[in-house]
Amino acid sequence: MSLKHTLHTLFKQTVEAVAPPLSKSQFEAKGVLTPEEFVAAGDYLVHACPTWTWEGGDPKKRRTYFPADKQFLVTRKVPCVRRATELEGGYNPNSEFAVAGEEGEDAWVATHQDPAASARGAGGAAGDGGDGIPNIDDDAKPSAAAGQGGAKEDDIPDITDLELNEGEDEAAAPSGRAPGYLRAEEPADNIMRTRTYDLYITYDQYYQVPRFWLVGFDESGKPLLPQQVMEDVSEEHARKTITVDPLPHLSGLSAASIHPCRHAEVMKKLVDNLLEAGREFRVQQYLVLFLKFIASVVPTIQYDYTMSVGGE
Amino acid sequence: MGEVLRFAQLQSSVDVTFLAELSEHKLNVLKLSEEPVDVCGFFGPNRYEAVPARLQLDVSSLRPGASSRPDCHAAPGVLLLYNTVEGFRNSDKPALMRQVASQVWADILSGAAEAQPWRLCRFLLLVHGDLKRYTFHYWFAFPALKPPSPITAAHPPRPLAAALPPSAIEQITAACSAWRSPAPVPAPTSDPSSSAPSPAAAAATSLPSTPAELLDSTPAPFWLLSSPREDFSEDVQTHPLSAWGSLLRGAGSSFGAEAAGPSGTGGGEEGAAGAASSAPGFGTPRRRHVALAFSDGSHLPGCPAWQLRNALLLAAVRWRVREQQVLCLRESSRGGGRLDPQRSFILTVTLPAVEGAVEGGATPPPCPDAVGWEANEQGRLLPRFMDLGPHLRPEAQAEQAV
C-alpha cells in the first residue's frame, strides 16, 4: 500500500506540473472546484466564520494561480477533548486485529498495541463520572509507544538538579502548572488534558477539491505523531481515507490528511441532496458544506461547522 | 482590600516546523556560533474554553517570510542554542532572566514599550538539540516583573455582557476587531482582465523578512479604548498605548482617585471610572473614559493571561494610576472568532505605587524581580524534552507515508 501511495503521489505531482489547473467551472456536474471558486469559497468561509484565516505559506511553495496571501486556509488551536475511539463506544480489539492482518501494515494500529490498556483507559474515563476528559494514562500510553514524552528525559544525566526555584509568586494562577501538579488541589475542571489541532485546508490541483490536513498537539503543547492523530479520526475512516503526506505550502512538515480522491463524489451527493430538498446552494458555500462533511470524519475536533448552508 | 489578581501562565507550543527550521539554521547559518538568535512567538485571544493560553512557535518564528500569521500578535524572543549539554546545563539561568527582565524594565521606563507594546511580551528560549537524533531539550521563560506588592482586583471581574449595555458591546466589538485586523492593503490585482494575479503582483504583497519587521507589522496586543461615557455606549475609539498622555492632557490630578466609590450593583454604571479626563487632543472637550484593552489568551474565568502583568506594571509606572479598568478580550469559537461578551470581562485593578521616575532623576530605579520559567509536564521548573525523531528522521517519514 505504501509503495502504491508513493507511486501515485509521484504521478499526481507530474500531472500537476504539466496539466493546467481547472479553468472552467465543473462544480455542478462533478462537485469539483476551479482555483477561482476555491478562493471565492474561502472568502465566504473566512467571512462567515473568522476562526478561519487565509495564509500565504512559504513563498517558495506558492501556487501562482492563487493570490500570494490566499494560498490556504487555517484555523489554530482547535480543542479535541475526547478521542474519537471513545465516542464510538469504546475500543474494539477485534476490529483492529482484523485490519492489521488484512493490510499487513501496522503503522496506524501501533498506537493500540496494548488493547487492555486502551480498554482500561476508556473505562476509567467513563468511571470518572463521564465528564469526557480522558484519563491521563490514556495519552501517556501512545506517547510512550511512539518514543515521545518524558521517556528519554535522562538524556542529560541528573537533569533534576537543574530545577529552579522562583520563590513565592502569588499572582500566578495555579492551573498554568502541569496536570500532575494540579491534580492534588485543583477541581477537576481546571485540569486541561485537551489535545489541540491546527487544521489546514489546501487546494488539491489533481483532484480539484479542497484537502483537509490535521496537525495535532498533545496536552502540553507538543506535536503529535500522525499515528496519534489517528485516534481522533473516526474508526471507519482512520484506516481507509487518511494518509500522511508533506503539507504543501509549509516546508518540513508531514501531516495526516483526508485523502481527497472521493471528495468530489461526496460533495456532489451532498449538494444534490440539498437541491432536492428545495434548498439553494451556491458554489461560495462549498467549504462550509465541506466542513460539515469533514466533521463526520473527525467527530471530536471542535472546530466550528455550525454555519448554515442552503438557505436554512 | 481586593483579592490578589491571578494570571494564567503561558504554555509553550513548539511546532515541528520550528525545530526543523532550527536544525537547518544551525547547520547552515549558525554552525558553531552560540550567539543569541532573535525569534518570534505568536499568541492571540482565547477562542476555546478548553485551550489554555499558549505561545506558539513555528517555521515563521525563525524565518518570518515563511508564512504569515495575520490573526496573531507577535512576541519577541531570544533563542540561545547551546552546542553542548554542558553549555545548556551550566548557563546562568537566573542571570539570563534578569537580563531579559531589565530590557523590559528599561523599555517601560523609557516609554519604548508604549510605542511598541510587544516589548512587554519578551521571552527567552534555551535549547540544546542533538541534531543527529532530532532530540531537543528546551526551556522557555516568560518574564513577568513583580511589582513591590501584588496587583489586586478592586471588584470581582465581570463578563462584558453583564457589565455593559448591548450598544457598548457592539461598539467595542467593532472597534477592537478593526484594531486586531486593520483594513487590508488593497489587493494588488490591478488588472481586471487576468483573474489570477501575475507573479509580480504576488511578490508585491511582501511578507516581513526579519523578526523586527514582523513585530511591527502585527497589531499590538495591548491598546486603549476610550469613550465619553462610562459605559462605553457612545463613540468608542481605539488608541495606541502611546496616546495615553494626549488622552489625558490637562486632566489635572483628579483622575483615578474617585474610582473606588461607585456602587457595585449599578448594571452598566460601575467600574468605568478608572480614568476620566478631558481630551483636547481628540477635538472634543468632553471627559473621556479610558480602559486598557488586551487580547487575552487565557481560558480561565477571571484570570487574564500572563502578558498583562508587565502591561499593568507599565500603567503603574508610566501613567501613575492606582486604579485602572482593563478589558480582557476573548473570542467565541461558535459562529466564529468574534468577541465573546460572555467570556470577555472587565477588571478594575488596584495598582501599587511603583517608583519609576526617570525625569531628572540621576539613576533609574532598580529592575524588579522577574518570574516566569515554564514548568515541565510534571509541574516542576525543569527543561522540557522533545523527541522529533519519529517526525523528522527520513526513515521514520518513509514509514509513515502510508
Side-chain angles (χ1 to χ4, degrees):
Chain A
M1 178 164 177
S2 176
L3 179 66
K4 195 172 142 201
H5 180 70
T6 310
L7 286 177
H8 180 68
T9 305
L10 282 173
F11 169 72
K12 189 166 160 292
Q13 281 165 355
T14 313
V15 173
E16 287 179 355
V18 179
L22 188 64
S23 57
K24 198 166 169 295
S25 177
Q26 295 181 15
F27 156 68
E28 277 169 42
K30 294 185 183 166
V32 295
L33 288 181
T34 65
E36 291 75 36
E37 285 169 336
F38 178 72
V39 172
D43 285 342
Y44 182 88
L45 176 67
V46 169
H47 175 77
C49 177
T51 45
W52 287 92
T53 45
W54 279 111
E55 283 193 16
D58 193 330
K60 288 194 286 265
K61 300 195 166 199
R62 268 181 205 156
R63 309 267 175 87
T64 49
Y65 48 81
F66 286 130
D69 56 347
K70 292 186 179 179
Q71 296 280 316
F72 62 95
L73 293 149
V74 62
T75 184
R76 290 198 168 82
K77 294 196 283 188
V78 180
C80 179
V81 179
R82 291 188 293 168
R83 305 292 78 85
T85 40
E86 292 171 42
L87 196 73
E88 285 156 14
Y91 174 81
N92 177 0
N94 295 330
S95 71
E96 291 288 3
F97 293 137
V99 167
E102 215 170 75
E103 309 261 339
E105 171 58 77
D106 60 357
W108 293 329
V109 192
T111 54
H112 292 132
Q113 263 165 351
D114 186 355
S118 291
R120 240 186 291 125
D128 285 347
D131 56 2
I133 298 178
N135 192 310
I136 191 165
D137 302 333
D138 246 3
D139 297 301
K141 203 74 192 175
S143 304
Q148 260 207 319
K152 291 183 188 166
E153 201 114 1
D154 53 4
D155 261 26
I156 296 184
D158 300 326
I159 199 157
T160 45
D161 54 70
L162 288 181
E163 184 154 12
L164 291 175
N165 182 4
E166 286 195 325
E168 200 59 29
D169 180 24
E170 51 189 335
S175 32
R177 300 280 178 192
Y181 173 88
L182 277 177
R183 276 197 144 174
E185 49 191 84
E186 288 296 308
D189 58 356
N190 274 357
I191 302 177
M192 281 301 149
R193 281 193 295 276
T194 307
R195 287 181 172 184
T196 56
Y197 277 90
D198 290 353
L199 305 173
Y200 298 81
I201 301 174
T202 62
Y203 178 73
D204 191 282
Q205 186 186 330
Y206 180 80
Y207 291 106
Q208 301 156 349
V209 289
R211 182 165 182 172
F212 191 84
W213 302 80
L214 304 122
V215 178
F217 298 87
D218 71 9
E219 301 70 19
S220 59
K222 290 181 179 176
L224 294 174
L225 285 171
Q227 291 94 313
Q228 295 170 291
V229 170
M230 295 303 169
E231 297 162 0
D232 294 317
V233 175
S234 83
E235 202 165 354
E236 59 172 320
H237 291 93
R239 278 166 300 281
K240 289 179 195 151
T241 48
I242 304 285
T243 59
V244 179
D245 288 296
L247 187 64
H249 305 296
L250 291 173
S251 43
L253 184 60
S254 283
S257 117
I258 301 175
H259 201 266
C261 53
R262 305 287 295 276
H263 285 1
E265 210 175 296
V266 174
M267 289 300 293
K268 174 95 177 76
K269 205 183 244 172
L270 289 174
V271 172
D272 286 349
N273 286 349
L274 275 176
L275 295 177
E276 266 171 40
R279 308 258 187 77
E280 265 181 54
F281 186 82
R282 288 175 298 125
V283 69
Q284 286 91 328
Q285 298 168 317
Y286 190 100
L287 285 174
V288 175
L289 189 64
F290 176 70
L291 285 177
K292 286 179 187 285
F293 148 55
I294 295 294
S296 66
V297 185
V298 287
T300 53
I301 301 181
Q302 300 168 3
Y303 69 85
D304 184 9
Y305 52 87
T306 55
M307 303 82 76
S308 68
V309 279
E312 276 178 77
Chain B
M1 39 174 266
E3 263 191 49
V4 171
L5 184 61
R6 304 219 278 179
F7 299 85
Q9 283 158 314
L10 295 183
Q11 187 185 57
S12 66
S13 177
V14 178
D15 196 287
V16 176
T17 59
F18 173 74
L19 291 171
E21 181 72 17
L22 183 62
S23 304
E24 288 287 301
H25 197 67
K26 180 68 183 164
L27 292 173
N28 300 325
V29 183
L30 296 176
K31 297 179 181 164
L32 286 177
S33 161
E34 288 192 342
E35 287 299 301
V37 181
D38 288 332
V39 293
C40 288
F42 302 96
F43 65 99
N46 186 278
R47 265 181 195 159
Y48 303 96
E49 281 170 57
V51 182
R54 281 196 175 159
L55 187 78
Q56 291 188 302
L57 275 76
D58 68 10
V59 58
S60 50
S61 300
L62 266 170
R63 190 156 56 86
S67 190
S68 52
R69 308 274 305 236
D71 60 338
C72 291
H73 304 289
V78 170
L79 163 71
L80 292 166
L81 182 55
Y82 293 97
N83 289 328
T84 60
V85 172
E86 291 73 29
F88 184 86
R89 281 187 70 90
N90 299 335
S91 59
D92 187 346
K93 293 163 190 78
L96 290 166
M97 178 67 122
R98 280 196 298 275
Q99 200 181 323
V100 183
S102 64
Q103 275 179 302
V104 175
W105 183 238
D107 288 341
I108 289 177
L109 294 182
S110 71
E114 276 164 277
Q116 293 171 314
W118 49 258
R119 291 173 181 275
L120 300 167
C121 309
R122 289 182 191 277
F123 67 95
L124 185 62
L125 169 57
L126 315 182
V127 181
H128 170 255
D130 180 339
L131 300 188
K132 288 202 189 81
R133 292 196 292 157
Y134 303 102
T135 58
F136 298 87
H137 281 93
Y138 64 101
W139 207 345
F140 278 87
F142 310 108
L145 276 55
K146 287 170 83 172
S149 60
I151 295 162
T152 57
H155 313 285
R158 288 185 310 155
L160 248 51
L164 300 176
S167 64
I169 289 166
E170 229 166 80
Q171 291 202 47
I172 291 172
T173 303
C176 292
S177 110
W179 177 268
R180 288 243 303 129
S181 36
V185 184
T189 46
S190 51
D191 182 6
S193 64
S194 76
S195 48
S198 67
T205 330
S206 65
L207 287 169
S209 60
T210 63
E213 281 175 38
L214 178 67
L215 290 165
D216 282 328
S217 70
T218 50
F222 309 103
W223 64 98
L224 300 174
L225 278 175
S226 76
S227 166
R229 295 179 67 95
E230 275 185 302
D231 62 1
F232 290 90
S233 59
E234 196 182 289
D235 185 31
V236 174
Q237 293 180 13
T238 56
H239 317 274
L241 295 190
S242 52
W244 182 274
S246 56
L247 280 172
L248 296 175
R249 193 172 298 132
S253 60
S254 70
F255 87 86
E258 82 274 35
S263 75
T265 53
E269 289 294 300
E270 180 223 335
S277 78
S278 62
F282 288 84
T284 155
R286 296 176 66 181
R287 290 158 64 89
R288 290 187 77 86
H289 296 268
V290 182
L292 175 66
F294 166 47
S295 271
D296 184 12
S298 163
H299 70 293
L300 299 175
C303 285
W306 199 248
Q307 294 101 333
L308 185 63
R309 293 182 73 167
N310 290 341
L312 291 178
L313 184 70
L314 178 146
V317 171
R318 291 280 298 178
W319 304 339
R320 307 284 185 85
V321 289
R322 300 301 307 276
E323 187 132 322
Q324 175 61 41
Q325 195 174 49
V326 183
L327 267 61
C328 297
L329 303 173
R330 302 179 183 179
E331 292 182 346
S332 111
S333 54
R334 294 289 164 200
R338 296 183 181 91
L339 187 126
D340 184 343
Q342 303 295 336
R343 297 198 307 127
S344 301
F345 58 92
I346 290 195
L347 271 174
T348 306
V349 295
T350 308
L351 300 167
V354 188
E355 195 201 340
V358 274
E359 311 93 39
T363 49
C367 178
D369 288 341
V371 290
W373 286 99
E374 185 181 27
N376 70 2
E377 293 82 350
Q378 285 75 43
R380 299 174 66 185
L381 292 187
L382 282 172
R384 291 179 167 224
F385 175 79
M386 197 182 289
D387 179 4
L388 290 189
H391 291 270
L392 296 178
R393 239 184 311 120
E395 318 88 77
Q397 288 202 320
E399 272 168 40
Q400 283 173 17
V402 273

